[in-house]
Amino acid sequence: MLEFKDTVAEAVADVQDGSTVMIGGFGNAGQPFELIDALLQSGARDLTVVNNNAGQADEGLALLIKEGRVRKMICSFPRQSDSWHFDAKYRAGEIELELVPQGNLAERIRAAGAGIGGFFTPTGYGTMLAEGKETRFLDGKWQVFETPIHADVALIKALKADGKGNLVYRKTARNFGPIMAAAAKQTIVQVSEVVPVGGLDPENVVTPGIYVNTIVKVG
Amino acid sequence: MAETSTSAVPSGTAQKTSDTPLGRDDLARLVARDIAPGSFVNLGIGQPTLVSNYLTEEQNITLHTENGMLGMGPEAKGDEIDPDLINAGKIPVTELPGASYFHHADSFAMMRGGHLDVCVLGAFQVSAKGDLANWHTGAPDAIPAVGGAMDLATGAKDVYVMMTLLSKDGKSKLVPQCTYPVTGVGCVTRVYTDKAVFLITDDGVRVRETFGVTFEELAELMDVPLR
């Protein structure tokens, strides 16, 4: 049942301690800062977070990590010039890291939403990141077995939603939004604008409302 | 994946085409010139992105950025800067007419599915068999980060590496076998360096041209047999 909430605090109120939370965004583009701030305020802890990165500077995901709310990061590119909060927790042994090649991360998320139990991919074959994984020679190349990544909750930023929960995004801020929306049990979306049913051209809908549970307008 | 050796040039006769080693910009110009017209190209992050400065309109190249765009334009300046429009290095960029946006799984399907003609990457080391090491030094205190490097290395039809030939301590980075953790196995097809362009072929490493050194001087610097 699709719900429209008045505040970001209400939107994230049901996130439980110990949840796996997918957070959209590539760097700051598409990162749902308002929802993340509300999650921080909610006090939810012991979280496993799935994101491309591990937070930038002193905002958004970086603050969740700084405040010790994240037990484990599943991501492709944690180390950046401004990832000091993750770096400190990692060096102190206070956060677990599952490092995943970016395309495998995206496809594992997609697989979860699409009901795929696993897949073989050439990416990572022969590298440290494929150690211990099943391999097969398929289609003329060695491939590595990868499993889906499911989540309890996805926090996503889109540009607009209509009254049915259909979403459109903006430019490269789309990134992980559509696949995370499908992979999570509960998908919470912050948007800049809500339009009435019929207000989005059906040909241009990127995420159909079937994947969306909660919408909150911000800004 | 290795280039088939169709050149009629006999072994060890690569021409010195410049009296001095090439600088980063000259190297970028050379890579740009070598990319076939109409190609779909990914330039990774860092030094290879310089190549975009030398692509011509006549070449009609479409740039892909892993975070979900085809038709990426030059870096955004001033009023053009839009936080929703960035490249793989998280630098604000512009969109060209005919651009398209797509989600991350589609973006990496383009790579893995073999739809990109060329990607240009930096490297710590490349092996004589085309193994690439560019994501992790393996140092115990290093925080690893891989991003899209493994997907690009595995997926693009041609993987060009741009790097200086020698490390800071004077050792060749084109090596018999990588000592750093690898990013991909047998994936590199060409290596563009300040001192030479190398083609990784089924018959070994062929030198296409040299800069500032002769073929013999180049061979002295390296432990890899050259043709």
Side-chain angles (χ1 to χ4, degrees):
Chain A
M1 174 77 180
L2 179 66
E3 290 187 297
F4 288 82
K5 300 287 190 182
D6 292 329
T7 66
V8 284
E10 291 171 69
V12 302
D14 293 337
V15 179
Q16 305 294 311
D17 291 352
S19 295
T20 295
V21 182
M22 289 179 174
I23 300 181
F26 177 89
N28 289 338
Q31 192 172 164
F33 286 108
E34 287 82 354
L35 286 174
I36 298 170
D37 289 347
L39 186 63
L40 186 64
Q41 293 299 319
S42 80
R45 56 182 58 252
D46 197 27
L47 303 173
T48 295
V49 171
V50 184
N51 182 263
N52 188 61
N53 305 103
Q56 288 78 228
D58 296 295
E59 53 183 352
L61 174 54
L63 287 184
L64 267 188
I65 291 169
K66 178 191 176 198
E67 296 302 327
R69 306 297 175 76
V70 182
R71 181 182 68 76
K72 178 180 178 182
M73 275 304 313
I74 302 175
C75 67
S76 83
F77 207 79
R79 187 198 64 231
Q80 302 176 89
S81 59
D82 55 358
S83 60
W84 44 75
H85 291 306
F86 174 82
D87 296 359
K89 292 283 181 197
Y90 183 78
R91 291 191 198 286
E94 292 170 3
I95 194 164
E96 192 183 332
L97 171 65
E98 181 179 345
L99 190 71
V100 184
Q102 202 168 322
N104 287 1
L105 182 69
E107 193 63 15
R108 289 176 65 190
I109 295 167
R110 197 198 71 81
I116 302 291
F119 57 92
F120 283 90
T121 170
T123 299
Y125 175 76
T127 74
M128 269 167 61
L129 298 186
E131 278 171 15
K133 294 183 175 175
E134 183 185 349
T135 56
R136 277 198 206 171
F137 193 76
L138 297 165
D139 266 350
K141 54 183 96 165
W142 281 100
Q143 311 216 19
V144 182
F145 186 67
E146 296 287 352
T147 53
I149 301 174
H150 294 272
D152 300 298
V153 179
L155 305 182
I156 284 168
K157 177 183 174 182
L159 178 64
K160 292 183 195 177
D162 70 7
K164 290 280 191 185
N166 297 310
L167 305 177
V168 294
Y169 300 81
R170 188 166 179 276
K171 302 183 185 286
T172 58
R174 178 184 307 191
N175 55 67
F176 285 90
I179 52 175
M180 287 182 170
K185 289 188 199 116
Q186 190 197 6
T187 293
I188 304 169
V189 186
Q190 66 170 68
V191 296
S192 304
E193 189 182 351
V194 176
V195 300
V197 173
L200 293 179
D201 178 350
E203 293 285 2
N204 293 339
V205 168
V206 177
T207 294
I210 190 170
Y211 298 124
V212 176
N213 303 98
T214 305
I215 290 171
V216 59
K217 181 175 173 299
V218 299
Chain B
M1 297 279 280
E3 286 190 18
T4 44
S5 164
T6 51
S7 166
V9 181
S11 295
T13 57
Q15 293 296 307
K16 182 160 80 170
T17 56
S18 160
D19 287 335
T20 54
L22 291 195
R24 287 155 58 102
D25 287 290
D26 288 334
L27 200 56
R29 184 180 290 117
L30 182 63
V31 174
R33 197 195 66 193
D34 284 352
I35 294 175
S39 295
F40 290 88
V41 175
N42 185 301
L43 298 176
I45 57 175
Q47 186 185 346
T49 60
L50 290 175
V51 171
S52 67
N53 297 339
Y54 300 101
L55 295 169
T56 64
E57 209 162 308
E58 296 69 49
Q59 280 179 290
N60 190 25
I61 303 293
T62 305
L63 292 181
H64 171 266
T65 183
E66 66 184 18
N67 49 316
M69 180 187 195
L70 279 167
M72 178 173 65
E75 190 174 335
K77 306 279 184 206
D79 291 348
E80 295 171 339
I81 292 174
D82 178 341
D84 285 343
L85 182 46
I86 60 175
N87 67 11
K90 306 187 176 74
I91 293 164
V93 292
T94 52
E95 67 182 30
L96 296 178
S100 56
Y101 296 108
F102 31 84
H103 64 61
H104 241 75
D106 278 350
S107 185
F108 282 81
M110 286 176 198
M111 292 181 198
R112 200 187 304 107
H115 305 281
L116 289 182
D117 297 296
V118 178
C119 78
V120 188
L121 300 170
F124 298 144
Q125 288 176 327
V126 177
S127 85
K129 291 200 180 325
D131 298 349
L132 171 68
N134 76 347
W135 73 282
H136 188 21
T137 61
D141 62 338
I143 298 175
V146 64
M150 290 184 180
D151 307 274
L152 272 174
T154 308
K157 287 180 200 155
D158 268 306
V159 177
Y160 295 172
V161 162
M162 264 178 94
M163 65 181 191
T164 56
L165 179 64
L166 302 181
S167 62
K168 287 192 180 109
D169 56 1
K171 294 204 172 72
S172 170
K173 298 194 288 192
L174 181 51
V175 292
Q177 203 142 29
C178 292
T179 53
Y180 288 120
V182 298
T183 308
V185 177
C187 54
V188 177
T189 50
R190 286 189 196 178
V191 185
Y192 289 83
T193 76
D194 52 335
K195 293 189 178 3
V197 176
F198 301 91
L199 310 180
I200 310 289
T201 76
D202 292 335
D203 306 324
V205 179
R206 180 177 288 273
V207 182
R208 189 181 79 176
E209 58 188 307
T210 66
F211 317 117
V213 291
T214 63
F215 179 89
E216 289 73 21
E217 289 164 343
L218 182 70
E220 282 293 304
L221 295 170
M222 303 173 62
D223 291 333
V224 172
L226 301 177
R227 297 167 49 110

